[in-house]
């Protein structure tokens, strides 16, 4: 939410005010530098939370009754807090790579300010290695592996439940096998429907994450290998496209969870609409009592 809100003043000035003024003031360069660091930190936090959620989901489904699972899942607050602390530290090299440079426009007799990268710095290549591998490509690999394992576990558990249920229905206590009617055979078991919905959610989250994060990781890796030449001629050209991918990830993720997960919708209502629901319930009870 903060990433998308912060893009509003950036977009308004970049595409509405700045083209008419054609003047790069120091305040705009300073805001551009802030925008670069702020959006990257928050986006890294979002990636960390997504990977943390995938790890929790894996532990809860793969080892639901283990002591390790109960210990890990009981420390959700610490894990979320760690995401907010570790993410700015991962972005730490970026703070020293980019700086504000000034150039003199001899025709207009004005000073123009730009945000440039210090390619001669030792942190330049290190920053892109960290950004591409640790922040982008590594979470993509982790999420892909965990999602594939979870889908396999879900279908294995679903088949086991259906087999046990069919075995129990086939041999009731009176010894007479049960037969379902045609109407019952057409409708899939509730366990299968729940498994299919969860699988669709996992696949959708995985595809969305890979589409939005994997290209940025590849471009960052190529910038680390090919140095400043690739960064200036290719990486910066795809800057707006990568910003669009980041905004898509932030916008669709919330809608995706809401559409595919009833538990997510219920939790959201209990957190943000609890007061309104309680007031409605109180009004209904009070009205019923006064009328009765």
């Amino acid at each position: 939410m903060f990433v998308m809100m912060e893009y509003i003043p950036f977009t308004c000035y970049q595409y509405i005010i700045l083209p008419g003024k054609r003047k790069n003031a120091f305040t705009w360069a300073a805001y551009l530098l802030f925008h670069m660091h702020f959006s990257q930190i928050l986006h890294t936090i979002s990636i960390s939370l997504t990977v943390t959620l995938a790890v929790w989901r894996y532990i809860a489904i793969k080892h639901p009754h283990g002591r390790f699972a109960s210990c890990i899942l009981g420390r959700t607050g610490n894990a979320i807090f760690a995401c907010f602390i570790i993410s700015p530290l991962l972005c730490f090299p970026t703070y020293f790579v980019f700086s504000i440079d000034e150039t003199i426009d001899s025709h207009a007799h004005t000073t123009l300010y730009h945000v440039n990268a210090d390619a001669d710095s030792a942190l330049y290549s290190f920053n892109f290695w960290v950004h591409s591998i640790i922040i982008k490509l590594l979470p993509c690999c982790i999420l892909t592996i965990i999602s594939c394992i979870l889908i396999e576990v879900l279908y294995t558990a679903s088949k086991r439940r259906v087999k046990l249920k069919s075995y129990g229905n086939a041999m009731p206590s009176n010894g007479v096998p049960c037969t379902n009617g045609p109407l019952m055979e057409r409708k899939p078991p509730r366990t299968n429907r729940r498994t299919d919905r969860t699988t669709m959610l996992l696949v959708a989250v995985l595809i969305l994450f890979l589409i939005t994060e994997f290209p940025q990781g590849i471009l960052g890796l190529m910038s680390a290998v090919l140095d400043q030449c690739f960064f200036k001629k290719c990486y910066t050209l795809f800057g707006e496209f990568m910003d669009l991918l980041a905004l898509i990830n932030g916008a669709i993720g919330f809608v995706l969870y809401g559409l595919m997960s009833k538990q997510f919708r219920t939790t959201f209502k209990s957190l943000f609409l609890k007061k309104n629901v309680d007031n409605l319930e109180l009004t209904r009870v009070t009205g019923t009592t006064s009328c009765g």
Side-chain angles (χ1 to χ4, degrees):
M1 182 182 67
F2 279 111
V3 171
M4 300 181 70
M5 288 175 58
E6 197 269 339
Y7 263 88
I8 296 176
F10 166 77
T11 306
C12 292
Y13 193 89
Q14 176 77 11
Y15 299 105
I16 298 177
I17 300 176
L18 189 61
K21 295 177 63 175
R22 296 187 179 276
K23 180 182 178 182
N24 292 344
F26 178 80
T27 53
W28 164 246
Y31 175 76
L32 189 61
L33 191 63
F34 164 78
H35 163 76
M36 181 188 303
H37 296 322
F38 185 74
S39 59
Q40 182 180 358
I41 290 173
L42 292 184
H43 192 59
T44 306
I45 292 174
S46 177
I47 294 174
S48 304
L49 291 174
T50 303
V51 174
T52 303
L53 179 62
V55 173
W56 283 341
R57 192 184 294 119
Y58 168 78
I59 295 174
I61 295 178
K62 187 72 174 178
H63 308 285
H65 304 298
R67 182 178 299 177
F68 177 75
S70 61
C71 178
I72 293 296
L73 296 177
R75 301 180 180 273
T76 56
N78 295 335
I80 294 174
F81 181 74
C83 293
F84 280 85
I85 297 299
I86 295 175
S87 297
L89 297 179
L90 290 176
C91 302
F92 192 75
T94 313
Y95 309 150
F96 302 96
V97 171
F98 295 93
S99 59
I100 300 176
D101 295 339
E102 61 179 37
T103 57
I104 305 298
D105 188 356
S106 57
H107 298 284
H109 300 286
T110 56
T111 303
L112 304 180
Y113 297 90
H114 305 273
V115 176
N116 291 322
D118 186 7
D120 298 328
S121 174
L123 289 175
Y124 180 83
S125 297
F126 178 75
N127 171 65
F128 280 104
W129 282 109
V130 172
H131 180 267
S132 60
I133 295 180
I134 298 180
I135 298 180
K136 299 296 182 180
L137 296 180
L138 183 61
C140 288
C141 295
I142 293 175
L143 198 62
T144 301
I145 295 173
I146 290 179
S147 298
C148 293
I149 293 175
L150 287 180
I151 292 172
E152 182 183 1
V153 170
L154 285 172
Y155 273 102
T156 303
S158 176
K159 290 179 182 179
R160 188 185 301 114
R161 292 193 195 97
V162 171
K163 186 182 294 186
L164 291 174
K165 192 173 183 180
S166 61
Y167 178 79
N169 292 334
M171 295 297 296
S173 57
N174 55 9
V176 180
C178 267
T179 57
N180 295 329
L183 185 61
M184 295 298 293
E185 291 178 355
R186 294 175 190 168
K187 189 175 181 181
R190 182 177 299 178
T191 305
N192 288 352
R193 297 199 304 270
R194 188 184 303 113
T195 302
D196 292 339
R197 284 197 302 269
T198 307
T199 303
M200 287 177 58
L201 177 62
L202 290 173
V203 173
V205 171
L206 174 62
I207 292 176
L208 176 64
F209 192 84
L210 292 180
I211 289 176
T212 56
E213 303 300 334
F214 194 74
Q216 301 181 43
I218 294 298
L219 290 175
L221 184 61
M222 295 180 69
S223 298
V225 175
L226 302 177
D227 292 334
Q228 193 176 8
C229 179
F230 180 84
F231 176 76
K232 285 188 174 181
K233 294 184 177 180
C234 298
Y235 189 91
T236 53
L237 296 178
F238 291 96
E240 294 182 355
F241 177 70
M242 291 187 292
D243 289 346
L244 178 63
L245 292 179
L247 295 176
I248 289 175
N249 188 22
I252 298 182
F254 175 79
V255 179
L256 193 64
Y257 279 103
L259 290 177
M260 289 187 157
S261 175
K262 182 180 179 181
Q263 186 178 6
F264 184 88
R265 295 192 299 268
T266 303
T267 306
F268 180 82
K269 291 178 182 178
S270 65
L271 287 175
F272 298 99
L273 304 177
K274 185 177 180 181
K275 185 177 180 180
N276 295 333
V277 172
D278 291 344
N279 290 338
L280 253 152
E281 185 67 22
L282 182 61
T283 304
R284 186 183 65 82
V285 173
T286 306
T288 305
T289 306
S290 60
C291 293

